[in-house]
Amino acid sequence: MAVQTVATTSDSTVDLGPAAALSCRECGHRVPLGPVFACEECFGPLEIAYDFSAYDTEELRRRIEAGPASIWRYAPLLPVPADVAGKPNLNPGWTKLVKADNLARELGVTGGLYVKDDSGNPTHSFKDRVVAQALEAARAFGFTTLSCSSTGNLAGAVGAAAARAGFRSCVFIPHDLEQGKVVMAAVYGGELVGIEGNYDDVNRFCSELIGDPAGEGWGFVNVNLRPYYAEGSKTLAYEICEQLGWRLPDQIVIPIASGSQLTKIDKGLQELIKLGLVEDRPYKIFGAQAEGCSPVSTAFKAGHDVVRPQKPDTIAKSLAIGNPADGPYVLDVARRTGGAVEDVTDAEIVDAIRLLARTEGIFAETAGGVTVGVTRKLLAEGLLDPAKTTVVLNTGDGLKTLDAVAGTGLTATIRPTLDSFREAGLA
Ligand SMILES: *Cc1c(COP(=O)(O)O)cnc(C)c1O
């Protein structure tokens, strides 16, 4: 893939706060901040390198705690300008960390079980976090059109963020997504294009579009702005630790689509340790996939370093990436931390959605069914320790994937009389 270098008006003056450079994850080669995503030396993925050297731990902690109830409380740790909170954006984040005691009882977890519920974000998925970072990069680089390849949630998050910030948006999705995702992506008034193919086809198309004059000047949040986008997932790590009282959880269960979120949560935890904001102790990261799209868990269980692409077939469409860009890095994180990667069937996903709803009053989308289902399976396999503090991510809202729980509905239909009510056997 050609490395795009877009001439911007502001290259020499980009203000992205503590972000210092882009650094190759494979060979460490550094380049100035810009809308590039692949290393010019080895084609490895670029990620943000920071200069945090000026921070004093206690002063930083105070500054964060006095910050807004959004991801912007962590602006000193993100690739964004210092005054970011004043710019038009959706101010996502600072979602609830729910102590899930009922679910813990059902699953036999005694060490404390929490659900980090990202359905509470402005467009009801975790994607608002990553889009907010990409938006600031797009502003800094002078883009006026926001775009993406999406499994659904990202399209909605880009559409909404673009609407609020005054950008044009044109986003691309597989043509056969859930109705809730399509409506959610279209309602903000941007352009929404269905592609005849799966997500991997959509992504390939977007890579071609970036290299073509037709896509010139476009900020693809998860392609040419991916290094910035990806950093948004670190805020999940920051929030979980701050909400636990500046403490690392022992175990975290995270869904995997491209794998970006999981690897960046690990990056965020590592940063908190280095900055002295949490005590350095071991934690384990667990990845969750649907059996119908399980390239990473398949590689993990086989002991492979290479992730072999699959053709997705699962109801967990938001996670249906058959060729995950960050798959090998996910394997590294799971193995280094002593975690694992596991998958569950569509039937287990639906069961888990119902279990979470019935025990905690949280209605998760299929991705949340994947993490809760995998949590249950990992406990049964003895890979998750029930006596340890465990955080399970719910990254999206069940209202967007209603078909998954089709058949759920009325207990009875009665005439508006007490006799009729008694006849229904509900008294
Ligand atoms: C995008 C998405 C994820 C994970 O995405 P990664 O590509 O692995 O970062 C998880 N859950 C939901 C609901 C998503 O939309």
Side-chain angles (χ1 to χ4, degrees):
M1 187 189 310
V3 178
Q4 190 202 25
T5 44
V6 171
T8 64
T9 49
S10 51
D11 264 354
S12 52
T13 57
V14 292
D15 173 12
L16 288 172
L22 291 166
S23 157
C24 177
R25 253 151 105 181
E26 289 298 324
C27 76
H29 179 66
R30 278 165 85 104
V31 293
L33 295 171
V36 289
F37 56 99
C39 178
E40 58 199 356
E41 300 286 322
C42 74
F43 294 99
L46 296 173
E47 71 175 349
I48 312 282
Y50 294 91
D51 181 7
F52 293 152
S53 60
Y55 294 152
D56 169 82
T57 305
E58 286 318 310
E59 197 184 304
L60 179 60
R61 191 195 311 271
R62 273 195 298 277
R63 192 166 146 198
I64 290 170
E65 288 175 349
S70 73
I71 54 171
W72 303 130
R73 64 202 285 110
Y74 308 106
L77 305 177
L78 296 169
V80 294
D83 63 345
V84 66
K87 302 198 172 158
N89 73 88
L90 296 171
N91 296 310
W94 203 241
T95 55
K96 286 179 192 148
L97 182 71
V98 179
K99 182 113 191 298
D101 291 339
N102 299 327
L103 180 62
R105 254 191 310 281
E106 290 257 348
L107 297 179
V109 175
T110 54
L113 180 64
Y114 297 82
V115 176
K116 179 62 173 167
D117 188 10
D118 251 13
S119 66
N121 274 312
T123 69
H124 307 276
S125 90
F126 112 94
K127 289 297 195 303
D128 294 313
R129 298 176 182 274
V130 283
V131 169
Q133 314 304 310
L135 177 65
E136 293 315 312
R139 274 198 249 261
F141 301 137
F143 292 127
T144 52
T145 298
L146 283 186
S147 186
C148 66
S149 53
S150 171
T151 55
N153 284 318
L154 185 57
V158 167
R164 172 132 177 88
F167 283 64
R168 178 185 170 218
S169 71
C170 181
V171 301
F172 301 92
I173 56 174
H175 68 111
D176 61 348
L177 287 186
E178 304 97 331
Q179 185 64 10
K181 298 260 171 73
V182 173
V183 170
M184 193 77 189
V187 74
Y188 304 106
E191 283 141 274
L192 176 68
V193 180
I195 301 257
E196 292 167 4
N198 61 27
Y199 173 81
D200 298 290
D201 298 316
V202 178
N203 205 32
R204 227 176 357 256
F205 166 79
C206 285
S207 299
E208 272 184 53
L209 184 52
I210 283 177
D212 189 271
E216 207 173 300
W218 288 27
F220 288 80
V221 302
N222 57 337
V223 189
N224 58 349
L225 298 175
R226 189 172 182 85
Y228 309 89
Y229 160 99
E231 294 296 291
S233 291
K234 295 192 307 179
T235 59
L236 274 164
Y238 303 154
E239 288 180 21
I240 289 167
C241 290
E242 185 178 353
Q243 289 168 325
L244 287 174
W246 293 111
R247 194 166 59 83
L248 289 167
D250 298 312
Q251 312 176 123
I252 313 185
V253 184
I254 303 170
I256 301 166
S258 73
S260 173
Q261 175 181 204
L262 185 146
T263 61
K264 296 305 175 183
I265 287 176
D266 177 60
K267 188 182 185 198
L269 297 176
Q270 292 293 322
E271 287 174 353
L272 293 184
I273 291 169
K274 282 195 200 99
L275 287 160
L277 287 167
V278 296
E279 189 192 333
D280 185 4
R281 25 183 224 108
Y283 60 84
K284 293 185 180 184
I285 291 193
F286 296 84
Q289 295 206 291
E291 187 185 274
C293 181
S294 53
V296 187
S297 69
T298 301
F300 181 86
K301 291 181 205 170
H304 295 160
D305 295 331
V306 176
V307 174
R308 194 170 307 146
Q310 290 181 0
K311 195 157 187 293
D313 180 15
T314 170
I315 58 167
K317 295 188 183 206
S318 56
L319 305 181
I321 298 185
N323 188 13
D326 289 279
Y329 300 108
V330 169
L331 294 173
D332 287 347
V333 170
R335 288 178 179 140
R336 169 170 53 74
T337 63
V341 187
E342 186 53 280
D343 55 83
V344 281
T345 65
D346 284 359
E348 289 170 315
I349 293 169
V350 174
D351 272 357
I353 291 173
R354 293 188 195 281
L355 172 65
L356 181 62
R358 165 168 75 70
T359 53
E360 299 298 340
I362 296 172
F363 184 21
E365 77 143 82
T366 45
V370 169
T371 51
V372 172
V374 162
T375 299
R376 178 152 65 180
K377 194 163 172 183
L378 289 168
L379 283 162
E381 292 168 343
L383 293 170
L384 269 174
D385 184 343
K388 302 270 186 180
T389 306
T390 304
V391 177
V392 180
L393 263 54
N394 173 38
T395 47
D397 193 320
L399 287 174
K400 290 200 216 181
T401 58
L402 286 173
D403 282 352
V405 286
T408 310
L410 301 176
T411 305
T413 302
I414 62 169
R415 294 182 306 281
T417 66
L418 287 172
D419 278 349
S420 183
F421 179 66
R422 283 192 198 98
E423 277 163 28
L426 296 167

